[in-house]
Amino acid sequence: MKNILVPVGSSKNAQSHLQYAVDFAEAVGAKLFVVQVYNVYTKAGTMIRVDDVIQRESKAFLDNLVSQIDTKNVEVIVKVLKGKLINTLELACKTAEVDLILVEPRTNSIKDEVYLGKTSGKIIKQTNIPALIVPEGYVFKPVTNVLLAMKSAIIKKKRALNPLKSIKDTFKADVHLLLVKTPHYNDGDFDVNEVLEDLSSSVTKSGNATTFQGVLEHYRSHNPDMLCVVRRKRGFFAKKWEKNTILKKDFHSNLPVLVLRGLK
């Protein structure tokens, strides 16, 4: 893992989130890109462009934020980017060859019942970038146990597991594979290939209505300090993430959640 990107909003958790990002980047030996994305705004009736003002203020905000944390030995690059959020992040990640994007759960949302706010939910749902959702105020610590929950072990994209492999190798972590048989189960979904088998310290099979229910059932027995799930077109977050905002009653985690891009 060489490059990590952190989109920064104006949440009260921005400083602690960025400190976690630096600590994580140092542990995996990665460079950190800290970015803020803005769109083009005009004043109604006057058509006065305020790009320069926004860019200066955003850059000053990011520089001040970085100055308040311990950057350690991590190379931190600050960028202010103009454009639509998803397209701009996708382009930035492609240009900088980003391996992982770190996301705050709620960003600007102040509602206690919200797990993923509109912005963070949009990033997770609409981008094809592996992401790590870090709980608010969570302090970095080495990862020792990862619970990888899947409803299908079929993997066609060779690089899809790379973020998980990197975390496992860096921290010498145990990865516990949980295969959940849902009503959408197809023959062959539980056929674990050699790559996934080598990655996993143990394999558990469960029957549940949803993958998330399987996670809830087996969570305590594995005692993970990181949850790993897969974002498929019609998978773990399909119904829950039809809207960008995700409520805690539908899904929540007090641990970092690694979201891999679709494996098929």
Side-chain angles (χ1 to χ4, degrees):
M1 195 175 297
K2 296 181 179 180
N3 298 309
I4 296 173
L5 184 139
V6 184
V8 175
S10 57
S11 79
K12 62 181 181 180
N13 185 53
Q15 185 175 334
S16 65
H17 180 69
L18 189 54
Q19 186 63 64
Y20 179 96
V22 167
D23 295 343
F24 183 86
E26 182 187 43
V28 301
K31 182 189 301 183
L32 197 64
F33 292 89
V34 180
V35 305
Q36 191 164 69
V37 179
Y38 74 97
N39 213 328
V40 179
Y41 294 93
T42 58
K43 284 188 176 181
T46 62
M47 298 300 290
I48 299 175
R49 294 171 64 88
V50 294
D51 291 39
D52 292 343
V53 176
I54 294 174
Q55 212 161 28
R56 285 198 305 270
E57 290 182 350
S58 296
K59 182 65 164 56
F61 171 78
L62 292 179
D63 287 340
N64 180 60
L65 186 63
V66 171
S67 72
Q68 297 178 50
I69 65 170
D70 181 3
T71 57
K72 302 183 176 180
N73 296 314
V74 176
E75 182 180 357
V76 179
I77 299 173
V78 174
K79 293 286 185 182
V80 178
L81 307 173
K82 182 177 73 174
K84 293 184 178 180
L85 179 67
I86 300 305
N87 292 342
T88 303
L89 287 179
E90 288 272 16
L91 180 59
C93 287
K94 182 178 180 180
T95 302
E97 297 182 337
V98 167
D99 302 294
L100 186 70
I101 184 169
L102 261 64
V103 180
E104 291 184 70
R106 295 197 297 175
T107 57
N108 294 326
S109 176
I110 60 174
K111 297 180 179 179
D112 289 338
E113 68 271 19
V114 171
Y115 171 62
L116 285 185
K118 184 177 180 180
T119 301
S120 51
K122 184 182 292 186
I123 292 172
I124 296 296
K125 177 185 174 183
Q126 296 184 22
T127 68
N128 197 33
I129 309 162
L132 181 63
I133 306 169
V134 183
E136 296 172 32
Y138 194 86
V139 177
F140 172 81
K141 61 181 180 180
V143 180
T144 58
N145 282 299
V146 181
L147 180 59
L148 169 58
M150 309 170 71
K151 72 172 188 177
S152 173
I154 298 174
I155 301 172
K156 294 182 179 179
K157 294 182 180 179
K158 295 181 179 180
R159 299 179 59 189
L161 292 171
N162 281 358
L164 180 57
K165 287 181 181 178
S166 179
I167 289 172
K168 174 183 170 65
D169 292 342
T170 298
F171 301 107
K172 310 302 179 188
D174 289 325
V175 176
H176 302 283
L177 174 60
L178 173 64
L179 295 172
V180 183
K181 186 175 183 179
T182 71
H184 302 289
Y185 174 84
N186 296 311
D187 289 340
D189 277 347
F190 281 9
D191 293 342
V192 180
N193 68 15
E194 186 176 342
V195 175
L196 192 55
E197 186 175 4
D198 290 343
L199 187 65
S200 306
S201 303
S202 68
V203 179
T204 303
K205 297 179 181 179
S206 178
N208 301 92
T210 65
T211 311
F212 183 47
Q213 288 184 13
V215 170
L216 293 178
E217 180 179 332
H218 295 275
Y219 181 88
R220 290 186 178 180
S221 61
H222 291 290
N223 192 30
D225 44 30
M226 178 177 286
L227 176 64
C228 182
V229 297
V230 178
R231 183 184 65 81
R232 302 179 189 272
K233 289 184 178 180
R234 300 303 299 175
F236 189 84
F237 297 116
K239 292 183 178 179
K240 296 175 180 60
W241 290 5
E242 286 173 355
K243 294 183 178 180
N244 290 324
T245 300
I246 312 303
L247 301 180
K248 288 182 178 178
K249 67 181 181 64
D250 293 322
F251 176 81
H252 70 277
S253 174
N254 295 322
L255 300 174
V257 180
L258 177 63
V259 184
L260 303 176
R261 61 184 180 182
L263 305 182
K264 295 183 180 181

